[in-house]
């Protein structure tokens, strides 16, 4: 179980983004999270995935803290896949960074063998996002933080990606925290939907 | 209408013959071949012509002495070749040292903010003083000679490259894929060698080659001013400063040919560096 307990964060000399934030994601559960822009959803995603350290509170997976040296069981998927891959690497190398290439995984994502020899600039956003997902789903990965991962994609690609994610959820007991503005999408895919405003206990 | 079509056809024809990548590659290879020829010829040239021969002193350019002879009857072509060869090796040594300093400083500045401030301050300090003054000071303090020139040139030419590399490292470090890599449990060493270094390498190679012309010209300059190499060494700067005394008596070839050869060598390095940049710079070339 992914537990976020009493977590607080503020940018220096700015108002508190959130204080005493609590959230749990169970294995095999999709939690949808929506809220207005600029409220700190992405910052929270970064904290959960270990990109930023919270001012207080802790994030645990199965009651264990993550150590920097090992792969994080919580992986963050970014909104812009073209920035999340090294532009000088071929896609094969990009996938290999996540460890052994799992063939059935990239078949599931409909990644074509011929794409492996290409550079990121020669693929579309949807194709790149599928690579990012396949890369993040290492054997050690238990939770995925999906921060607006399909916002910039067309409805068809969006549906395709979420269909795979839903099947992975049952197959691997993957826990997913889906962050989006798209309430309709979240209602469709999530087991429960949370408003980010209700989640943060703003002191003012 | 027909005229219009013909014009368009001509235009497309003109562009077909000019693939910029291919063009840059050919020019780079040509420059490398020229430079290598210059170095190899300079290293293995027959040094008999350097003997003092008063029978053939002060000869203007002719078929036996293409660059003419000086007041001791020495062949100027051979002196020039030897001088260029020496300049080349000083350039190699000084540019290598500069690149090493630049890489170490750019890595240091990426460690934390204090070190970064120190490195930036050093860069500003060295860039604030004209090269030639620092160069003369360092070379003079080290007692001149080959050691003084090489260390002087190396210590004055690192700031430009360091600034470039520092900016590059900072930019890459903030990229999302570095964060992804870290979160996948990769160590800093792994990220440094797999993500950051391959990005820096093109800048390093181009920076190294573009340091050459500076190093060579500055070496010639301080030698000419008398703070560099000693007069028995066949350096271009020595040749030029000695030729000064004979210019007024009409012996133009003593200064013209060595100076022109130096210019050509510097030009070749500049062409090579700029074309290599077109080929391997991360902004220009992706498919290396």
């Amino acid at each position: 179980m992914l537990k976020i307990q009493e977590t607080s964060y503020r940018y220096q000399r700015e108002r508190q983004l959130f204080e005493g934030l609590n959230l749990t994601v169970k294995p095999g559960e999709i939690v949808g999270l929506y809220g207005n822009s600029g409220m700190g959803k992405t910052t929270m995603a970064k904290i959960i995935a270990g990109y930023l350290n919270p001012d207080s509170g802790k994030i645990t997976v199965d009651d264990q803290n993550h150590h920097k040296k090992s792969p994080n069981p919580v992986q963050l998927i970014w909104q812009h896949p073209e920035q999340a891959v090294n532009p000088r690497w071929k896609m094969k190398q990009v996938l290999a960074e996540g460890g052994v290439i799992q063939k059935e995984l990239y078949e599931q994502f409909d990644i074509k063998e011929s794409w492996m020899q290409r550079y990121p600039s020669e693929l579309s956003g949807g194709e790149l996002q599928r690579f990012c997902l396949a890369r993040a789903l290492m054997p050690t990965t238990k939770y995925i933080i999906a921060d607006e991962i399909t916002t910039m994609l067309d409805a068809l690609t969006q549906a395709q990606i979420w269909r795979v994610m839903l099947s992975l959820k049952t197959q691997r007991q993957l826990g997913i925290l889906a962050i989006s503005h798209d309430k309709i999408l979240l209602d469709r895919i999530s087991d429960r939907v949370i408003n980010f405003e209700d989640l943060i206990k703003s002191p003012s | 209408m027909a005229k219009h079509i013909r014009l368009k056809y001509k235009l497309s024809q003109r562009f077909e013959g000019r693939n910029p990548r291919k063009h840059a590659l050919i020019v780079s290879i040509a420059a490398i071949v020229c430079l290598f020829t210059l170095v190899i010829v300079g290293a293995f040239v027959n040094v008999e012509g350097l003997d003092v021969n008063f029978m053939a002193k002060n000869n203007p350019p002719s078929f036996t002495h293409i660059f003419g002879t000086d007041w001791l009857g020495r062949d100027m072509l051979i002196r020039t070749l030897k001088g260029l060869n020496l300049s080349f090796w000083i350039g190699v040594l000084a540019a290598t040292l500069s690149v090493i300093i630049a890489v170490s400083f750019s890595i240091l500045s990426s460690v934390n903010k204090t070190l970064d401030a120190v490195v930036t301050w050093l860069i500003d300090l060295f860039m604030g003083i004209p090269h030639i003054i620092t160069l003369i000071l360092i070379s003079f303090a080290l007692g001149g000679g080959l050691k003084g020139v090489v260390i002087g040139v190396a210590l004055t030419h690192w700031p430009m490259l360091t600034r470039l590399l520092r900016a590059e490292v900072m930019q890459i470090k903030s990229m999302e894929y570095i964060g992804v890599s870290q979160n996948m449990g990769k160590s800093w060493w792994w990220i440094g060698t797999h993500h950051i270094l391959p990005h820096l390498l093109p800048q390093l190679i181009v920076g190294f080659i573009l340091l050459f012309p500076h190093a060579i010209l500055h070496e010639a300059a301080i030698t000419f001013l008398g703070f560099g190499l000693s007069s028995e060494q066949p350096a271009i700067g020595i040749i030029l400063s000695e030729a000064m005394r004979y210019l007024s008596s009409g012996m133009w070839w003593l200064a013209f040919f060595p100076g022109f050869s130096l210019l050509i060598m510097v030009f070749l390095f500049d062409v090579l560096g700029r074309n290599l940049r077109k080929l391997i710079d991360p902004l220009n070339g992706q498919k290396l």
Side-chain angles (χ1 to χ4, degrees):
Chain A
M1 199 176 301
L2 171 64
K3 263 190 195 158
I4 298 116
Q5 288 164 311
E6 297 294 326
T7 303
S8 308
Y9 191 80
R10 76 186 301 161
Y11 284 108
Q12 260 167 357
R13 285 189 292 278
E14 270 178 54
R15 69 176 174 84
Q16 193 87 24
L17 271 179
F18 42 79
E19 207 173 0
L21 184 139
N22 289 297
L23 184 66
T24 28
V25 182
K26 293 191 209 86
E29 182 191 38
I30 297 187
V31 178
L33 189 73
Y34 69 96
N36 291 329
S37 302
M39 294 193 67
K41 297 193 296 295
T42 296
T43 307
M44 186 198 70
K46 281 187 189 172
I47 290 172
I48 298 173
Y51 285 68
L52 289 175
N53 291 321
D55 295 336
S56 65
K58 58 180 181 178
I59 287 102
T60 52
V61 174
D62 302 331
D63 296 322
Q64 276 181 335
N65 280 321
H66 165 244
H67 296 289
K68 286 260 176 204
K69 293 266 158 61
S70 59
N72 197 332
V74 185
Q75 288 289 328
L76 176 64
I77 309 293
W78 295 79
Q79 184 175 2
H80 304 291
E82 58 273 20
Q83 284 166 21
V85 294
N86 188 336
R88 291 176 75 83
W89 281 10
K90 285 186 176 170
M91 295 320 295
K92 200 179 175 166
Q93 248 179 308
V94 172
L95 263 193
E97 198 180 4
V100 201
I101 296 178
Q102 301 143 281
K103 209 167 168 106
E104 70 286 347
L105 191 66
Y106 73 71
E107 271 165 6
Q108 226 169 344
F109 275 110
D110 207 13
I111 291 171
K112 296 196 174 62
E113 188 65 48
S114 61
W115 296 350
M116 291 295 189
Q117 295 304 322
R118 295 201 198 166
Y119 287 97
S121 62
E122 294 165 333
L123 292 174
S124 74
E127 288 161 357
L128 277 179
Q129 193 62 290
R130 282 181 262 165
F131 268 102
C132 286
L133 282 161
R135 174 177 66 175
L137 287 163
M138 296 177 288
T140 50
T141 305
K142 289 176 183 155
Y143 296 92
I144 290 282
I145 315 295
D147 185 15
E148 307 267 18
I149 61 167
T150 54
T151 311
M152 71 305 180
L153 302 176
D154 58 86
L156 219 63
T157 323
Q158 204 168 30
Q160 191 194 2
I161 285 181
W162 279 112
R163 199 172 300 135
V164 181
M165 294 304 279
L166 286 174
S167 70
L168 281 170
K169 169 197 142 185
T170 41
Q171 250 176 49
R172 295 179 46 156
Q173 286 295 298
L174 193 70
I176 299 168
L177 177 65
I179 303 172
S180 179
H181 288 119
D182 193 347
K183 182 95 183 341
I184 301 160
L185 173 78
L186 290 181
D187 285 337
R188 183 74 194 257
I189 56 166
S190 311
D191 298 309
R192 60 193 168 99
V193 180
I194 305 169
N195 186 347
F196 192 63
E197 259 174 274
D198 300 335
L199 201 64
I200 52 176
K201 285 182 248 162
S202 188
S204 59
Chain B
M1 191 64 195
K3 207 176 171 186
H4 181 67
I5 290 168
R6 209 163 44 236
L7 199 86
K8 262 181 108 176
Y9 174 69
K10 265 189 183 162
L11 259 177
S12 68
Q13 221 178 13
R14 192 143 51 97
F15 282 113
E16 247 171 43
R18 267 177 167 237
N19 177 344
R21 282 188 72 79
K22 212 185 270 174
H23 187 249
L25 191 68
I26 291 168
V27 172
S28 308
I29 291 172
I32 291 173
V33 169
C34 285
L35 285 169
F36 258 91
T37 322
L38 214 61
V39 172
I40 289 167
V41 169
F44 295 108
V45 77
N46 194 351
V47 289
E48 269 172 34
L50 286 181
D51 294 340
V52 177
N53 178 11
F54 287 109
M55 300 286 283
K57 71 171 183 176
N58 298 341
N59 280 0
S62 65
F63 284 111
T64 39
H65 303 288
I66 299 169
F67 283 11
T69 58
D70 64 5
W71 59 97
L72 292 174
R74 293 176 292 187
D75 187 74
M76 286 309 287
L77 175 63
I78 295 169
R79 285 192 79 193
T80 306
L81 282 172
K82 279 283 169 201
L84 287 181
N85 197 37
L86 186 70
S87 290
F88 175 84
W89 288 113
I90 289 176
V92 170
L93 216 61
T96 313
L97 283 175
S98 278
V99 166
I100 291 171
I101 296 173
V103 173
S104 338
F105 272 168
S106 59
I107 290 169
L108 263 185
S109 74
S110 76
V111 174
N112 65 35
K113 275 191 179 145
T114 323
L115 277 173
D116 184 45
V118 171
V119 169
T120 320
W121 180 77
L122 272 175
I123 291 173
D124 288 343
L125 179 74
F126 271 86
M127 284 182 73
I129 313 167
H131 269 176
I132 197 79
I133 292 176
T134 343
L135 202 53
I136 289 172
L137 280 175
I138 294 172
S139 181
F140 190 72
L142 290 169
L146 195 66
K147 188 181 75 178
V149 169
V150 169
I151 293 177
V153 173
L155 283 183
T156 45
H157 286 72
W158 58 268
M160 288 285 268
L161 191 61
T162 310
R163 210 155 68 155
L164 200 75
L165 293 180
R166 174 181 161 269
E168 199 81 8
V169 170
M170 288 183 114
Q171 191 204 351
I172 299 165
K173 259 184 75 180
S174 65
M175 295 304 276
E176 285 172 6
Y177 58 82
I178 299 292
V180 172
S181 202
Q182 265 178 292
N183 213 23
M184 288 194 287
K186 302 287 190 239
S187 65
W188 262 113
W189 176 250
W190 195 94
I191 292 172
T193 49
H194 289 76
H195 280 295
I196 298 177
L197 207 62
H199 266 274
L200 292 185
L201 215 56
Q203 298 278 22
L204 266 183
I205 295 169
V206 173
F208 175 72
I209 286 172
L210 286 180
L211 265 177
F212 262 88
H214 280 268
I216 291 170
L217 279 180
H218 276 131
E219 176 261 316
I222 58 163
T223 306
F224 177 81
L225 290 173
F227 298 102
L229 303 175
S230 49
S231 56
E232 71 273 5
Q233 274 158 320
I236 293 286
I238 297 284
I239 294 174
L240 290 177
S241 67
E242 283 177 352
M244 278 279 284
R245 280 177 261 149
Y246 295 85
L247 269 182
S248 51
S249 55
M251 289 156 70
W252 55 273
W253 60 88
L254 289 181
F256 175 76
F257 288 113
F260 192 64
S261 313
L262 180 69
L263 269 188
I264 288 177
M265 189 169 179
V266 166
F267 173 74
L268 281 173
F269 269 116
D270 200 48
V271 164
L272 177 64
R274 276 191 283 144
N275 281 287
L276 270 184
R277 169 175 285 167
K278 276 186 205 161
L279 283 173
I280 60 177
D281 197 53
L283 289 173
N284 288 307
Q286 179 156 71
K287 281 129 258 168
L288 195 98

Short mmCIF file of all heavy atoms in Angstrom, two decimals, chain B residues 69-100:
data_model
loop_
_atom_site.label_atom_id
_atom_site.label_comp_id
_atom_site.label_asym_id
_atom_site.label_seq_id
_atom_site.Cartn_x
_atom_site.Cartn_y
_atom_site.Cartn_z
N THR B 69 66.08 33.13 -48.40
CA THR B 69 67.00 32.79 -47.30
C THR B 69 67.20 34.01 -46.42
O THR B 69 66.95 35.14 -46.83
CB THR B 69 68.38 32.34 -47.83
OG1 THR B 69 68.91 33.39 -48.63
CG2 THR B 69 68.28 31.06 -48.64
N ASP B 70 67.66 33.78 -45.18
CA ASP B 70 67.86 34.91 -44.26
C ASP B 70 69.32 35.39 -44.28
O ASP B 70 70.11 34.97 -45.12
CB ASP B 70 67.37 34.54 -42.86
CG ASP B 70 68.18 33.42 -42.25
OD1 ASP B 70 69.17 32.98 -42.88
OD2 ASP B 70 67.82 32.98 -41.15
N TRP B 71 69.67 36.23 -43.32
CA TRP B 71 71.01 36.86 -43.32
C TRP B 71 72.12 35.88 -42.99
O TRP B 71 73.30 36.22 -43.07
CB TRP B 71 71.03 38.03 -42.33
CG TRP B 71 70.67 37.56 -40.93
CD1 TRP B 71 71.54 37.26 -39.94
CD2 TRP B 71 69.37 37.32 -40.41
NE1 TRP B 71 70.87 36.83 -38.85
CE2 TRP B 71 69.52 36.86 -39.10
CE3 TRP B 71 68.08 37.44 -40.96
CZ2 TRP B 71 68.44 36.53 -38.30
CZ3 TRP B 71 67.02 37.12 -40.14
CH2 TRP B 71 67.20 36.66 -38.83
N LEU B 72 71.75 34.65 -42.57
CA LEU B 72 72.78 33.63 -42.32
C LEU B 72 72.74 32.57 -43.42
O LEU B 72 73.39 31.53 -43.30
CB LEU B 72 72.56 32.97 -40.96
CG LEU B 72 72.80 33.87 -39.74
CD1 LEU B 72 72.40 33.16 -38.46
CD2 LEU B 72 74.26 34.28 -39.68
N GLY B 73 71.92 32.80 -44.45
CA GLY B 73 71.84 31.84 -45.54
C GLY B 73 71.01 30.61 -45.23
O GLY B 73 71.11 29.60 -45.90
N ARG B 74 70.16 30.70 -44.18
CA ARG B 74 69.31 29.55 -43.86
C ARG B 74 68.04 29.59 -44.71
O ARG B 74 67.51 30.66 -44.99
CB ARG B 74 68.95 29.57 -42.37
CG ARG B 74 70.14 29.34 -41.47
CD ARG B 74 69.77 29.45 -40.03
NE ARG B 74 69.40 30.81 -39.66
CZ ARG B 74 69.17 31.19 -38.40
NH1 ARG B 74 69.23 30.32 -37.42
NH2 ARG B 74 68.86 32.43 -38.13
N ASP B 75 67.58 28.39 -45.10
CA ASP B 75 66.41 28.31 -45.96
C ASP B 75 65.14 28.64 -45.15
O ASP B 75 64.84 28.00 -44.14
CB ASP B 75 66.28 26.91 -46.55
CG ASP B 75 65.18 26.84 -47.58
OD1 ASP B 75 65.37 27.37 -48.69
OD2 ASP B 75 64.11 26.29 -47.26
N MET B 76 64.39 29.66 -45.59
CA MET B 76 63.23 30.12 -44.81
C MET B 76 62.08 29.13 -44.83
O MET B 76 61.30 29.05 -43.90
CB MET B 76 62.75 31.48 -45.33
CG MET B 76 63.64 32.63 -44.94
SD MET B 76 64.00 32.68 -43.19
CE MET B 76 62.44 33.22 -42.55
N LEU B 77 61.95 28.34 -45.93
CA LEU B 77 60.88 27.35 -46.00
C LEU B 77 61.03 26.32 -44.88
O LEU B 77 60.08 26.01 -44.16
CB LEU B 77 60.89 26.66 -47.37
CG LEU B 77 59.89 25.50 -47.54
CD1 LEU B 77 58.46 26.01 -47.42
CD2 LEU B 77 60.08 24.81 -48.87
N ILE B 78 62.26 25.84 -44.71
CA ILE B 78 62.50 24.82 -43.69
C ILE B 78 62.31 25.42 -42.29
O ILE B 78 61.70 24.81 -41.42
CB ILE B 78 63.90 24.20 -43.86
CG1 ILE B 78 63.93 23.45 -45.20
CG2 ILE B 78 64.22 23.24 -42.73
CD1 ILE B 78 65.31 23.01 -45.62
N ARG B 79 62.80 26.65 -42.11
CA ARG B 79 62.61 27.31 -40.81
C ARG B 79 61.12 27.47 -40.50
O ARG B 79 60.69 27.23 -39.36
CB ARG B 79 63.27 28.69 -40.80
CG ARG B 79 64.78 28.63 -40.69
CD ARG B 79 65.34 30.00 -40.40
NE ARG B 79 65.20 30.34 -38.99
CZ ARG B 79 65.36 31.56 -38.50
NH1 ARG B 79 65.65 32.56 -39.32
NH2 ARG B 79 65.24 31.79 -37.22
N THR B 80 60.36 27.88 -41.53
CA THR B 80 58.93 28.07 -41.33
C THR B 80 58.24 26.75 -40.96
O THR B 80 57.44 26.70 -40.02
CB THR B 80 58.29 28.64 -42.61
OG1 THR B 80 58.99 29.82 -42.96
CG2 THR B 80 56.82 28.95 -42.39
N LEU B 81 58.60 25.67 -41.71
CA LEU B 81 57.98 24.38 -41.44
C LEU B 81 58.29 23.92 -40.02
O LEU B 81 57.42 23.44 -39.29
CB LEU B 81 58.46 23.34 -42.45
CG LEU B 81 57.79 23.43 -43.84
CD1 LEU B 81 58.47 22.48 -44.81
CD2 LEU B 81 56.31 23.09 -43.73
N LYS B 82 59.56 24.08 -39.63
CA LYS B 82 59.95 23.68 -38.27
C LYS B 82 59.20 24.51 -37.23
O LYS B 82 58.75 24.01 -36.19
CB LYS B 82 61.47 23.89 -38.10
CG LYS B 82 62.29 22.75 -38.68
CD LYS B 82 62.25 21.56 -37.76
CE LYS B 82 62.83 20.34 -38.43
NZ LYS B 82 62.40 19.09 -37.82
N GLY B 83 59.06 25.81 -37.53
CA GLY B 83 58.37 26.70 -36.61
C GLY B 83 56.91 26.33 -36.46
O GLY B 83 56.38 26.27 -35.34
N LEU B 84 56.26 26.02 -37.58
CA LEU B 84 54.85 25.63 -37.53
C LEU B 84 54.69 24.34 -36.75
O LEU B 84 53.73 24.16 -35.98
CB LEU B 84 54.29 25.45 -38.95
CG LEU B 84 54.04 26.73 -39.74
CD1 LEU B 84 53.47 26.39 -41.10
CD2 LEU B 84 53.09 27.65 -39.00
N ASN B 85 55.65 23.41 -36.96
CA ASN B 85 55.59 22.14 -36.24
C ASN B 85 55.65 22.37 -34.73
O ASN B 85 54.85 21.81 -33.97
CB ASN B 85 56.76 21.27 -36.69
CG ASN B 85 56.55 19.82 -36.33
OD1 ASN B 85 55.43 19.35 -36.39
ND2 ASN B 85 57.61 19.15 -35.93
N LEU B 86 56.56 23.24 -34.32
CA LEU B 86 56.68 23.55 -32.90
C LEU B 86 55.39 24.20 -32.38
O LEU B 86 54.87 23.83 -31.33
CB LEU B 86 57.88 24.48 -32.67
CG LEU B 86 58.20 24.77 -31.21
CD1 LEU B 86 58.76 23.52 -30.56
CD2 LEU B 86 59.18 25.92 -31.08
N SER B 87 54.87 25.15 -33.19
CA SER B 87 53.62 25.81 -32.81
C SER B 87 52.51 24.80 -32.62
O SER B 87 51.71 24.88 -31.68
CB SER B 87 53.20 26.81 -33.87
OG SER B 87 54.07 27.90 -33.89
N PHE B 88 52.44 23.83 -33.55
CA PHE B 88 51.39 22.82 -33.47
C PHE B 88 51.46 22.05 -32.15
O PHE B 88 50.46 21.89 -31.46
CB PHE B 88 51.53 21.85 -34.65
CG PHE B 88 50.56 20.69 -34.61
CD1 PHE B 88 49.29 20.83 -35.10
CD2 PHE B 88 50.94 19.47 -34.07
CE1 PHE B 88 48.39 19.78 -35.05
CE2 PHE B 88 50.06 18.41 -34.01
CZ PHE B 88 48.77 18.57 -34.51
N TRP B 89 52.67 21.62 -31.78
CA TRP B 89 52.79 20.81 -30.56
C TRP B 89 52.53 21.63 -29.31
O TRP B 89 51.95 21.15 -28.34
CB TRP B 89 54.15 20.10 -30.50
CG TRP B 89 54.17 18.99 -31.50
CD1 TRP B 89 54.93 18.91 -32.62
CD2 TRP B 89 53.33 17.83 -31.51
NE1 TRP B 89 54.64 17.78 -33.34
CE2 TRP B 89 53.66 17.09 -32.69
CE3 TRP B 89 52.33 17.33 -30.68
CZ2 TRP B 89 53.03 15.89 -33.02
CZ3 TRP B 89 51.71 16.14 -31.02
CH2 TRP B 89 52.05 15.43 -32.17
N ILE B 90 52.95 22.91 -29.35
CA ILE B 90 52.61 23.78 -28.23
C ILE B 90 51.09 23.94 -28.14
O ILE B 90 50.51 23.88 -27.06
CB ILE B 90 53.29 25.15 -28.38
CG1 ILE B 90 54.80 24.99 -28.15
CG2 ILE B 90 52.72 26.17 -27.41
CD1 ILE B 90 55.59 26.25 -28.36
N GLY B 91 50.46 24.07 -29.33
CA GLY B 91 49.00 24.17 -29.37
C GLY B 91 48.34 22.94 -28.78
O GLY B 91 47.41 23.05 -27.97
N VAL B 92 48.81 21.74 -29.16
CA VAL B 92 48.24 20.49 -28.64
C VAL B 92 48.33 20.48 -27.12
O VAL B 92 47.33 20.24 -26.42
CB VAL B 92 48.98 19.26 -29.21
CG1 VAL B 92 48.55 17.99 -28.49
CG2 VAL B 92 48.74 19.12 -30.69
N LEU B 93 49.54 20.76 -26.62
CA LEU B 93 49.77 20.68 -25.18
C LEU B 93 48.91 21.69 -24.42
O LEU B 93 48.21 21.34 -23.46
CB LEU B 93 51.26 20.96 -24.92
CG LEU B 93 51.91 20.18 -23.79
CD1 LEU B 93 51.84 18.70 -24.11
CD2 LEU B 93 53.36 20.60 -23.64
N ALA B 94 48.93 22.94 -24.90
CA ALA B 94 48.20 24.00 -24.19
C ALA B 94 46.70 23.78 -24.27
O ALA B 94 45.99 23.94 -23.27
CB ALA B 94 48.57 25.36 -24.78
N ALA B 95 46.20 23.37 -25.46
CA ALA B 95 44.77 23.16 -25.61
C ALA B 95 44.30 21.98 -24.75
O ALA B 95 43.24 22.04 -24.12
CB ALA B 95 44.41 22.92 -27.07
N THR B 96 45.11 20.91 -24.69
CA THR B 96 44.74 19.77 -23.86
C THR B 96 44.65 20.19 -22.40
O THR B 96 43.67 19.86 -21.71
CB THR B 96 45.79 18.63 -23.99
OG1 THR B 96 46.06 18.44 -25.37
CG2 THR B 96 45.30 17.35 -23.38
N LEU B 97 45.66 20.91 -21.93
CA LEU B 97 45.64 21.37 -20.53
C LEU B 97 44.41 22.25 -20.28
O LEU B 97 43.73 22.10 -19.26
CB LEU B 97 46.92 22.16 -20.22
CG LEU B 97 48.18 21.33 -19.99
CD1 LEU B 97 49.38 22.23 -19.80
CD2 LEU B 97 48.00 20.43 -18.77
N SER B 98 44.11 23.15 -21.22
CA SER B 98 42.96 24.03 -21.06
C SER B 98 41.67 23.24 -20.96
O SER B 98 40.81 23.54 -20.12
CB SER B 98 42.85 24.98 -22.26
OG SER B 98 43.68 26.05 -22.11
N VAL B 99 41.53 22.23 -21.83
CA VAL B 99 40.30 21.42 -21.82
C VAL B 99 40.18 20.67 -20.51
O VAL B 99 39.09 20.60 -19.92
CB VAL B 99 40.29 20.45 -23.03
CG1 VAL B 99 39.22 19.39 -22.86
CG2 VAL B 99 40.05 21.22 -24.30
N ILE B 100 41.30 20.15 -20.00
CA ILE B 100 41.26 19.42 -18.73
C ILE B 100 40.80 20.37 -17.62
O ILE B 100 39.93 20.03 -16.81
CB ILE B 100 42.64 18.80 -18.40
CG1 ILE B 100 42.94 17.66 -19.38
CG2 ILE B 100 42.67 18.28 -16.96
CD1 ILE B 100 44.35 17.14 -19.29
#
